[in-house]
Structure formats: structure tokens, C-alpha cells
Amino acid sequence: MWEQKGCLAATIAAMPADVVELVKDFRFEAAHFLPHVPAGHKCRRMHGHSFRGEVAVRGTIDPAVGWLIDFADLKRAVDPVVDRLDHYLLNEIEGLENPTSELLAIWIWNQLAPKVPQLHRITIEETCSSRCHYFGGGESGVGSGR
């Protein structure tokens, strides 16, 4: 048994530093309204969504354990953030006074980034055909200033 583990670890250690991406899905129900859209716009009225999201991490496999991150550790980081959103009026949450999909993705990123150093992407789906991907501010400045 130990011989097999040693062999597997040696195999992984000998592998090129391939980058992998792991994704943890989450869901929550919430109401919101968009206060800055023009008068008469349907999203200015309070309404709700069955939000679906993804937290993606990216990096190289740790040869000692054979994974990038334990899915359970990722879930422990994501669950408290989802609990702050589920069945709430998003506009009443500090930092989400204008809870567009874009700003919600950035808000979630900011909650998770200190706890999940391999964080690569946040995806928020308001509907089955409308979603936002956020990849962090990065050096390009894209996404900053929101």
C-alpha cells in the first residue's frame, strides 16, 4: 500500500506543472431591485431570482496530496457567503446597494479572495440564459473601480 502511494506521489511529482481548474457550484434565492436603471425599467421593480453561481480556483496540483484544493475546504469558504445572501433582499446587504450581476460577482470575489488564494473566477447566473463571469481586478485594471 505505502509503495503504491509513494509511486503515485512520484508520478505526480514528475508530471509537468499542469494547471487545473476546480469549480464549486452554489445556489441561493434572493430578491433585489436595481435603483440606477431608468424609470419604467422592469429591473427597477423589486423581483427575485433563483441565483446559481460558481467559484472556480486554478493552480497546479500539490504532489503531496494529489489535488489543488480540498473541495470541502472550498465549500467551507463559500457557504458563509451564500448564507449572507440566501433569502435576503440583496439591496439591504452592505456593499450591494445596487446588486447587478456584475457587482454581486465582485462582492462575492471580495468576500472569498482573502480565504481562497487560488481564486480564479466567480460566475453568477440570474437566469438560465444570463450570467456574469468575474476574474478579479488583476493588473489590467479590468473590473476595478466597480
Side-chain angles (χ1 to χ4, degrees), residues 102-124:
E102 297 89 338
L103 295 176
L104 178 57
I106 292 168
W107 185 89
I108 293 170
W109 178 283
N110 290 337
Q111 305 304 304
L112 291 175
K115 299 172 188 144
V116 184
Q118 308 96 325
L119 188 58
H120 175 68
R121 173 178 50 85
I122 300 293
T123 298
I124 294 294

Side-chain angles (χ1 to χ4, degrees), residues 16-58:
D18 290 326
V19 173
V20 296
E21 181 175 286
L22 303 180
V23 178
K24 188 70 180 161
D25 292 340
F26 61 90
R27 297 179 186 278
F28 64 94
E29 310 290 329
H32 74 154
F33 60 92
L34 303 182
H36 301 299
V37 297
H41 191 287
K42 68 180 183 175
C43 293
R44 193 168 181 129
R45 296 187 301 272
M46 188 179 310
H47 60 285
H49 294 285
S50 295
F51 288 92
R52 191 185 88 70
E54 296 179 350
V55 174
V57 294
R58 188 176 275 192

Side-chain angles (χ1 to χ4, degrees), residues 2-24:
W2 287 106
E3 195 173 311
Q4 285 181 331
K5 283 186 178 180
C7 184
L8 179 59
T11 301
I12 292 171
M15 294 170 62
D18 290 326
V19 173
V20 296
E21 181 175 286
L22 303 180
V23 178
K24 188 70 180 161

Side-chain angles (χ1 to χ4, degrees), residues 42-122:
K42 68 180 183 175
C43 293
R44 193 168 181 129
R45 296 187 301 272
M46 188 179 310
H47 60 285
H49 294 285
S50 295
F51 288 92
R52 191 185 88 70
E54 296 179 350
V55 174
V57 294
R58 188 176 275 192
T60 56
I61 297 169
D62 179 346
V65 291
W67 63 35
L68 169 61
I69 186 175
D70 186 342
F71 278 112
D73 291 340
L74 193 53
K75 181 175 175 16
R76 274 191 290 279
V78 171
D79 283 352
V81 175
V82 172
D83 289 345
R84 290 179 63 191
L85 303 170
D86 191 35
H87 284 83
Y88 284 96
L89 174 59
L90 298 181
N91 302 72
E92 294 178 349
I93 297 171
E94 185 176 344
L96 287 176
E97 294 81 7
N98 182 29
T100 63
S101 289
E102 297 89 338
L103 295 176
L104 178 57
I106 292 168
W107 185 89
I108 293 170
W109 178 283
N110 290 337
Q111 305 304 304
L112 291 175
K115 299 172 188 144
V116 184
Q118 308 96 325
L119 188 58
H120 175 68
R121 173 178 50 85
I122 300 293

